[in-house]
Structure formats: structure tokens, C-alpha cells
Amino acid sequence: MGSLTEENYIKSIYALSQSTGEVYVSELAKKLDVKLPSVNSMMKRLAIKKLVAYAPYKGIKLTEKGKKEALAIIRKHRLAELFLVKVMGLGWEEVHDIAEQLEHVNSPRFYERIDELLNSPKFDPHGEPIPDSNGKIHTQQRTSLIDLAEGLTATITAVTEDEKSFLDHLNAKGLQIGDAVTIMKREMFDGSITLQHKSKKEILLTHQVAERIWVEL
Amino acid sequence: MGSLTEENYIKSIYALSQSTGEVYVSELAKKLDVKLPSVNSMMKRLAIKKLVAYAPYKGIKLTEKGKKEALAIIRKHRLAELFLVKVMGLGWEEVHDIAEQLEHVNSPRFYERIDELLNSPKFDPHGEPIPDSNGKIHTQQRTSLIDLAEGLTATITAVTEDEKSFLDHLNAKGLQIGDAVTIMKREMFDGSITLQHKSKKEILLTHQVAERIWVEL
DNA sequence: ATAAAATGTTAGATGCCTCTAATATTTTAA
DNA sequence: TTAAAATATTAGAGGCATCTAACATTTTAT
């Protein structure tokens, strides 16, 4: 178990390297809100610990050991989020910041118990998959709401959780995980989308919002 | 909000100064398992922050500000312990170490919710009082099992929680908070005590164990 | 192909928290 | 009452995590 700071670096590297498999120093610095040299010196330390593969002027990659640690933290984060919603009755928009802290709690027993109480759940309240205790992740094939043709109906399965304000926005629009929506109109001009929702109301989403909503047909 | 380390110092100073109102550097060093100079330099920092009153070669005292912070941490610790037992179904002997971590979670909402779910509880699973959100503590007049005369019957209200092994010991003997016990015999020779318990069984406790059990007549 | 822009690294400093070794003060006991 | 023991402090160093300023490399665009 590394320090809290170390865990946050590992987690961010994992998140940012999802698509390309690597991260740039500047991306990481931006994400963690530190300056470039801070990232640089942390990379040296993590490389010594064999958590990242790092060569000067090259992208940063997690080693297998680093990935394993990242997935363990993500598992704890997502279990915590679901626990906060299901057991403690908090709103999905307010659990992220608390889970950011709970994910660093070192207690197998605590998380084993949460897992039991929630019946080994597969997805967190934002629809993100929860890795199992071996770090195995049940990936879903994802389609963004933005890629759906007019007339199609789909079910919201997940949202990309970046900031509380985004979830507040969805709450205000009345959208939740599991809701069925039909694409009424796609505006070419600004990329916005009009949906028909179970509430019978028409909902307008900007491109920026729609691209962060994942659906299944 | 100070650092985790700072919070642990404050909490330990509070605990150790309960009786006399002050702590010695060496006591604190022992409790926190650090060397004397570490305590010394931390005291200087805490004094600058007005959390402790500290003069060289004199005992350490918490300021009002320091006490308030200590009580806030203790409140979180004890709420967490009760939550772990009542809501999560963990044993009273295994919650201390988890609560040591949860007490540092910074989220008024999280603790407000725990307090609600537990119905603003007054005591933790070990019988220790939970300070209210203003730091006010509902102190009980306490009698130790060791001070009870033969023939008297009393109810266990609290135990002094120092180590898991002590609670394991009580579990093995079948003793719990709320149990009624009658003093059958007090041995002058070694200070041990024989109890009659609701289970009808006779239980022998050594002086060392009995003095850490608090009762009400 | 080279100059400018973007990105990354090194050097050196700071604060936090810890340590060991050396020194100082207070307490205790002869 | 003074020497020894116990307790506390200072000096100086090291690791972690951060920063600014200066320098190096890579990418890009003319």
C-alpha cells in the first residue's frame, strides 16, 4: 500500500490511459492540479517501485503491478459509491467526493462487508462497472447517446462522471440510469439532441451533455 | 482541518490528558510510537496553530480550539464504530481499526447521514459516550466492576477499549454491554472476581480485566 | 530545414514529519 | 545538596510531495 498521494497518481494514470494505453506528463499534471516537475519526480519514485514504466520524454504507462493497484482502488471507489446510495440513502450526485476518501480506507473486511451487503454488485450508481476482487472488469460495449440515429429507442446504462454539476444537470432534466429514451431530433447545427422520455416530456440535451451519456439498444 | 498526523496527535493528547488535564512529551511519544523529538517539533507546529498550549519542559495542554477539534474527531470515530456494528453488521471487536480511518473522512454530509440512520445515538458499541455536533459530551458517573462489593448486581455500561484482544477476551467469556452481573466472590489474593451472569454461568475475571469494565447499579 | 511553440526535465528550495546524536533541564535519591 | 537518572530540547539530516526558475527535447508549422 502506497501513500494517499501515490494512490491518486496511480488512479489518474489508469483513468487517463484508458484509450491510448499511456498518459503524458502534462495531462496528468492538469488532472491532479500540480505542476509538471511534481509529476516528473513522482514518476521517478513510482518507476523505482515498479508501478509505472517511465522513460524521459516518453509517455507514462502503468505496469501490471500498477494496473492491479489501480483496479483495487477503483473497486473500492465504486463499491463505496453504491453503498452510499443504496445503504446510506445519499444522492448519486453527492457520493463521488465521499468515495474519493473512502477508496483509501485500508480494510479488506470493510469492503468485503460492503460487497456482501450489496450482493456483489456489477455496476456503480453512475453505471460504471465494478472490478471484482481480482481486478477483473466486466466491460460493456458502449454507445454514446450522440451516436444514435433519429427514431431509435435506447436505455441509459451509464454516464461519464466528471463533476457534480453534470449530475445535478441530469437530475434537473429528470434523467436516471435505466431510463428509456427515444431520439426525436438531432440538430446538425449545434449537435444538440431532443429526446422523448418515459415522463412523456421532451428533453433537449446539448452535444456536450449527450456525449457523456451511454446507452444500450 | 489539519493533516491526518496532526489529527492523531490532537486525539491522543485529548485521550491522555483526560485525568490530569495535561500530557507529557514522553507519554505522547509512547502512545503514537514516535521518538521524543518528533513530538517536540509537532508541538511547536500545533502551538503556532493555537491548538495546544506548550512551553518547553512543561506539560502539553489542548487549547479550547484543540479540544473542539479533538471532540469532533472522537465524535466521528464513535459514530463510525456504531455504524459499523449496527448498520454493517461487524463485530464490536473488529470496528476500532476501521473507525481509526473513517474518523479522518472530511464530509459533514456523511456523518450527518450516519447520525440520522442511527437516530442520534448517545453511546458507541463499547459504551463510550458520543459527543454531540457541538462537542458536548454526556458524561456518565462510572463505577468499575472492581469497586463493587460482593453480592451486588449491576449492569455493564461500557468497557475501556484499548486493544482488540481485550474485546476478544470478553466475547469468549460471553460478556456484552447491557448484561447484568452479580458479584459472587472477590479474591483478596490476586484481585480476581467471580461473577454470576444471565447465562447462569459463573465467570472468573482477573483484576486486569475487571477494572476495565464499567457498570451501573 | 529550421525557427517557434509545446512539452518535458533538472536544479534547488520549502514544508511536513520523522529520525539520531548531542545537549539541556528537571526530578530523584544518596 | 549534589550526583545520577529521567525527561525534554536542539541541531542537523532524510524522505515525501510540492514549488519556481532555468534548461532540454520534441513537435509543428513556415
Side-chain angles (χ1 to χ4, degrees):
Chain A
M1 273 256 316
S3 68
L4 194 149
T5 313
E6 214 177 277
E7 291 194 355
N8 284 332
Y9 271 89
I10 297 288
K11 192 173 58 129
S12 295
I13 296 170
Y14 184 90
L16 294 173
S17 63
Q18 275 297 71
S19 41
T20 58
E22 57 177 28
V23 202
Y24 299 108
V25 174
S26 51
E27 289 179 275
L28 197 46
K30 193 174 177 186
K31 171 106 172 176
L32 291 166
D33 195 26
V34 295
K35 303 296 178 192
L36 296 189
S38 305
V39 172
N40 202 264
S41 68
M42 181 56 99
M43 287 316 104
K44 289 179 185 169
R45 285 193 294 271
L46 294 182
I48 289 168
K49 294 188 175 184
K50 307 277 188 212
L51 290 165
V52 302
Y54 164 75
Y57 296 103
K58 298 278 176 276
I60 299 155
K61 284 188 195 124
L62 285 180
T63 60
E64 279 311 308
K65 189 179 166 197
K67 269 182 212 153
K68 210 178 149 187
E69 190 167 321
L71 286 162
I73 301 166
I74 290 166
R75 172 173 165 80
K76 291 196 280 179
H77 181 101
R78 294 183 181 163
L79 278 176
E81 284 199 342
L82 195 63
F83 178 80
L84 290 167
V85 169
K86 293 282 184 205
V87 177
M88 294 190 62
L90 293 166
W92 75 335
E93 76 290 352
E94 57 185 347
V95 298
H96 180 81
D97 291 350
I98 305 174
E100 286 282 299
Q101 297 183 65
L102 294 181
E103 76 193 7
H104 302 291
V105 166
N106 175 20
S107 169
R109 187 75 181 103
F110 180 62
Y111 280 100
E112 180 186 292
R113 200 62 201 117
I114 288 183
D115 191 54
E116 272 172 35
L117 288 169
L118 296 171
N119 233 314
S120 296
K122 298 284 171 287
F123 300 97
D124 80 6
H126 309 101
E128 297 292 339
I130 300 173
D132 70 21
S133 53
N134 300 312
K136 183 130 192 157
I137 208 160
H138 179 285
T139 38
Q140 337 147 68
Q141 78 298 12
R142 286 176 153 188
T143 312
S144 168
L145 200 49
I146 214 71
D147 297 322
L148 241 53
E150 285 181 4
L152 288 178
T153 297
T155 305
I156 300 176
T157 56
V159 301
T160 298
E161 170 200 30
D162 266 328
E163 338 162 57
K164 181 175 176 304
S165 60
F166 173 59
L167 298 174
D168 286 340
H169 182 72
L170 295 187
N171 279 341
K173 297 265 180 188
L175 291 174
Q176 289 288 331
I177 301 284
D179 285 4
V181 293
T182 305
I183 313 291
M184 303 305 286
K185 183 98 188 78
R186 297 179 54 173
E187 290 294 342
M188 284 308 124
F189 176 62
D190 60 3
S192 68
I193 283 183
T194 306
L195 301 175
Q196 173 88 47
H197 183 241
K198 62 168 180 189
S199 66
K200 305 290 175 199
K201 278 195 303 205
E202 293 211 336
I203 298 175
L204 182 100
L205 300 180
T206 61
H207 182 93
Q208 191 199 348
V209 169
E211 72 177 349
R212 290 163 69 179
I213 298 176
W214 306 94
V215 297
E216 220 165 61
L217 291 167
Chain B
M1 276 261 311
S3 67
L4 193 150
T5 313
E6 212 177 279
E7 290 194 355
N8 284 332
Y9 270 89
I10 297 289
K11 193 173 58 127
S12 295
I13 296 169
Y14 184 89
L16 294 173
S17 63
Q18 276 295 73
S19 41
T20 58
E22 57 177 30
V23 203
Y24 299 108
V25 173
S26 50
E27 288 180 276
L28 198 45
K30 193 175 177 185
K31 171 106 172 175
L32 292 166
D33 194 27
V34 294
K35 303 296 178 195
L36 296 188
S38 305
V39 172
N40 201 264
S41 68
M42 180 56 98
M43 287 315 104
K44 287 180 186 170
R45 285 192 297 271
L46 294 182
I48 289 167
K49 294 190 175 183
K50 306 277 186 211
L51 290 165
V52 302
Y54 164 74
Y57 297 102
K58 297 276 175 278
I60 299 155
K61 284 187 194 124
L62 285 180
T63 61
E64 278 310 309
K65 189 180 167 196
K67 269 182 214 154
K68 213 177 147 184
E69 191 167 321
L71 286 161
I73 301 166
I74 289 167
R75 172 173 165 79
K76 290 197 281 180
H77 181 100
R78 294 185 180 163
L79 277 176
E81 284 199 339
L82 194 62
F83 178 81
L84 291 168
V85 169
K86 293 281 184 202
V87 177
M88 294 189 63
L90 293 166
W92 76 334
E93 76 290 351
E94 59 184 345
V95 297
H96 181 81
D97 291 350
I98 305 174
E100 286 281 299
Q101 297 183 64
L102 294 180
E103 75 193 7
H104 302 292
V105 166
N106 176 19
S107 168
R109 187 76 180 102
F110 180 62
Y111 280 101
E112 180 185 292
R113 201 62 201 114
I114 288 183
D115 191 55
E116 273 172 35
L117 288 169
L118 296 171
N119 235 314
S120 296
K122 299 284 171 285
F123 300 97
D124 80 6
H126 309 101
E128 297 293 338
I130 299 173
D132 69 23
S133 53
N134 299 311
K136 182 131 190 156
I137 208 160
H138 179 286
T139 38
Q140 337 146 70
Q141 77 300 9
R142 286 178 153 186
T143 311
S144 169
L145 199 50
I146 214 70
D147 298 322
L148 241 53
E150 285 181 4
L152 287 179
T153 297
T155 305
I156 299 176
T157 56
V159 301
T160 297
E161 170 200 28
D162 268 326
E163 338 161 57
K164 181 175 176 304
S165 59
F166 172 59
L167 299 173
D168 286 339
H169 182 71
L170 295 186
N171 280 340
K173 297 267 181 187
L175 290 174
Q176 288 288 331
I177 301 285
D179 286 3
V181 292
T182 306
I183 314 291
M184 302 305 286
K185 184 96 188 83
R186 296 180 53 173
E187 289 296 341
M188 283 309 123
F189 175 63
D190 60 3
S192 68
I193 283 182
T194 307
L195 301 174
Q196 172 87 47
H197 184 241
K198 61 169 180 188
S199 66
K200 305 287 174 201
K201 277 194 301 205
E202 293 212 337
I203 298 174
L204 183 99
L205 299 180
T206 61
H207 182 91
Q208 193 199 348
V209 169
E211 73 178 349
R212 289 163 70 178
I213 298 176
W214 306 94
V215 296
E216 220 166 62
L217 290 167

